Amino acid sequence: MGSLADRLEELLRERILQGVLEPGSVVVEPELAKEFGVSKTPVREALQRLVTQSYVTVLPKKGYLIRTMGLPDVLELVEMRTVLEPHLAARAARGLNSARGLEAMKQELVRQRELLRSDPEASIASGRAFHESLAAEAGNSRMLDALLRCMTEMGRAYNVVPGAQSHLRSEEEVWEHEAIYAAVAAGDPEGARKAMLDHLKSIRRTLTSQFDD
């Protein structure tokens, strides 16, 4: 079940990723301890872990600052995905994929399209699941772990940058996913690499345009 500090760490991380704790805001141990009905010790331990994960920074004698999510952060995340995902898509298309994996990807695509208008949040979740399923089929667990961490941080950007989710809620997003899937299913490594790269370029344009605005 985990320790109290473990549970507080998870809860605070989720608040940061969802934008409940806004970038640039300050939290302090006594207030959090009072809110959660615990002593300051597990709160301090949880916050120190989040410091090591770069979600917060220490403000001596003041508290903890929730790290901002600026354009440089977004560009770093997109760059990391651009290094990882085209390669993973090509690996999956070279025959490392399984029939079960392809079916999982296809089902996520079906759900993403079906829910695009009726339940955008669920559609977005299926879109992320599509990326995760594809990466899993590439057969490199370390690259998968790195990508999942990157996507978790990008989820925060989508939650805290106004307008950042516009691409995730668009027909274009689904079309791009379908193009990636088609190339992987056809066993076309270069086609899969290019389709994924084009998709990431669209994501980059959408996110950077929000900062331009």
Side-chain angles (χ1 to χ4, degrees):
M1 186 174 180
S3 68
L4 179 55
D6 292 335
R7 296 195 293 275
L8 291 175
E9 175 192 355
E10 182 177 355
L11 177 58
L12 290 170
R13 187 190 304 109
E14 281 303 305
R15 288 188 179 186
I16 293 170
L17 293 174
Q18 294 170 6
V20 176
L21 289 174
E22 297 180 355
S25 62
V26 176
V27 296
V28 294
E29 292 172 9
E31 291 181 4
L32 290 174
K34 182 178 180 180
E35 177 185 351
F36 298 132
V38 299
S39 70
K40 290 190 293 184
T41 300
V43 172
R44 181 180 303 115
E45 184 177 344
L47 287 168
Q48 287 296 331
R49 294 179 188 176
L50 294 173
V51 169
T52 64
Q53 297 164 28
S54 299
Y55 287 115
V56 302
T57 55
V58 178
L59 294 177
K61 299 182 180 180
K62 293 183 179 180
Y64 297 81
L65 176 71
I66 308 301
R67 282 193 59 192
T68 58
M69 178 62 73
L71 180 57
D73 301 292
V74 169
L75 292 178
E76 282 187 4
L77 291 169
V78 175
E79 181 179 13
M80 184 173 178
R81 287 185 64 178
T82 301
V83 170
L84 293 171
E85 288 198 272
H87 177 72
L88 291 171
R91 279 178 63 90
R94 287 193 184 99
L96 297 174
N97 52 289
S98 63
R100 180 181 298 178
L102 284 173
E103 182 60 23
M105 291 163 58
K106 183 177 180 180
Q107 289 304 313
E108 294 300 348
L109 279 180
V110 170
R111 280 193 287 269
Q112 184 183 17
R113 179 168 290 285
E114 287 180 346
L115 297 169
L116 188 60
R117 298 291 172 247
S118 62
D119 191 344
E121 293 303 319
S123 179
I124 290 172
S126 288
R128 171 168 174 161
F130 168 79
H131 279 270
E132 293 176 357
S133 297
L134 171 59
E137 288 307 305
N140 188 314
S141 61
R142 289 176 175 80
M143 292 184 76
L144 173 61
D145 288 344
L147 177 61
L148 293 180
R149 289 194 298 273
C150 182
M151 292 188 71
T152 294
E153 285 201 66
M154 281 202 73
R156 183 183 178 219
Y158 286 125
N159 286 326
V160 303
V161 178
Q165 291 190 7
S166 60
H167 184 77
L168 299 181
R169 300 170 183 266
S170 69
E171 289 281 353
E172 182 183 9
E173 161 89 353
V174 183
W175 292 334
E176 291 170 357
H177 281 178
E178 290 171 344
I180 296 166
Y181 172 81
V184 172
D188 179 3
E190 288 310 308
R193 185 193 304 276
K194 183 180 184 304
M196 181 64 80
L197 187 58
D198 289 343
H199 177 48
L200 292 168
K201 287 178 179 177
S202 292
I203 291 174
R204 189 182 191 279
R205 282 196 302 270
T206 299
L207 289 171
T208 55
S209 70
Q210 304 309 312
F211 290 93
D212 293 339
D213 293 343

